[in-house]
Every structure is written in structure tokens, then in C-alpha cells.
Amino acid sequence: MIELGYGEVKTVMLAREETTRSRTPRGISQELWGLALAYNLVRLEMERIAAEAGVTPDRISFKGALMCIEHALLTLSLESAGRIPEHLRRLREDVAHFVLPKRRHRSYPRAVKIKMSNYPRKRRGLK
């Protein structure tokens, strides 16, 4: 599960950027703490959405939840910060757009592919 978390932070939250924006150790530390805090707050909201929808939290779209929360925060930037929980509750009322469809079972089990060599095979008796 931790690999999924790293993947979500790197590909969704950081938009595949390779480096942090800060140039000082203190700024990098602050940026990483901010990322960790934002990730955990989105995950907390996803758990609440899952509870209201009656599904497990892994059926909730991280990207969808993050985009809705970002949109809500941008539109609420003109209002008071005390109204954010109220708006998040209203977002959760329409939980259907957060729930991912059930995964179907694999028709073929996972298997390791045999690596093809770039070199010709040695054959005995041929010169």
C-alpha cells in the first residue's frame, strides 16, 4: 500500500515534477511536510466519503477527491476559512462521482515473461 501512496504523491500531487521548488534545506523540509499533511488530509476525506458511500476506502478515487478539494478551496478562498468544513460536507453529499467501479477478476493470472536475448544462440557443431 505504501507504494500506492508514493505513486499518488509523485504523479498526482506533484504532477511528475522531479524536484522540489525550494532551494534551502529548511524550505525543502517545509515543502515535504506540507505535502505529507495535504496527502493525509485528502486520505482522511476519502475515508469519510467511503463511509458515507458504504464502500471501502480503496474504491474512492484519489485524483477525483484531490481535484474536488482543490476546486473547493480555490472557490472558497474569497470566503472565511471557517466555512470550509461545511463545504466539504456538501461535497460528500454527492459521493457517487468519487466511487470507482469494482475491479473485475483477471482472466489470466500474472506470469513472469521470459526475457528474449539480443544475441544469437550458440549452436554446437556449426562453425
Side-chain angles (χ1 to χ4, degrees), residues 6 9-10 13-14 17-41:
Y6 286 139
V9 169
K10 287 169 61 178
M13 293 181 77
L14 291 177
E17 292 179 12
E18 296 294 323
T19 60
T20 57
R21 292 177 293 193
S22 302
R23 298 290 176 228
T24 63
R26 185 178 177 139
I28 291 171
S29 175
Q30 181 180 3
E31 192 170 343
L32 292 177
W33 275 109
L35 264 174
L37 178 64
Y39 177 79
N40 284 309
L41 288 173

Side-chain angles (χ1 to χ4, degrees), residues 25-72:
R26 185 178 177 139
I28 291 171
S29 175
Q30 181 180 3
E31 192 170 343
L32 292 177
W33 275 109
L35 264 174
L37 178 64
Y39 177 79
N40 284 309
L41 288 173
V42 171
R43 278 285 170 194
L44 177 67
E45 192 61 26
M46 287 172 62
E47 283 186 35
R48 292 176 179 163
I49 291 168
E52 289 185 20
V55 297
T56 58
D58 63 343
R59 293 265 318 274
I60 304 300
S61 167
F62 179 82
K63 187 174 183 177
L66 179 66
M67 288 173 52
C68 283
I69 292 169
E70 284 177 345
H71 178 70

Side-chain angles (χ1 to χ4, degrees), residues 66-107:
L66 179 66
M67 288 173 52
C68 283
I69 292 169
E70 284 177 345
H71 178 70
L73 290 174
L74 287 174
T75 57
L76 292 175
S77 62
L78 301 175
E79 295 183 30
S80 68
R83 298 197 61 201
I84 291 174
E86 172 191 337
H87 288 283
L88 287 175
R89 274 194 300 278
R90 271 195 274 148
L91 273 177
R92 276 188 250 128
E93 289 174 1
D94 186 26
V95 295
H97 63 276
F98 289 107
V99 180
L100 297 170
K102 282 191 176 184
R103 292 186 67 163
R104 53 191 169 100
H105 293 289
R106 296 181 187 276
S107 55

Side-chain angles (χ1 to χ4, degrees), residues 107-126:
S107 55
Y108 297 99
R110 289 185 182 223
V112 177
K113 289 185 175 182
I114 298 172
K115 184 180 179 308
M116 301 300 287
S117 175
N118 294 333
Y119 303 100
R121 289 180 54 192
K122 288 186 178 178
R123 298 191 180 174
R124 293 183 186 195
L126 297 176

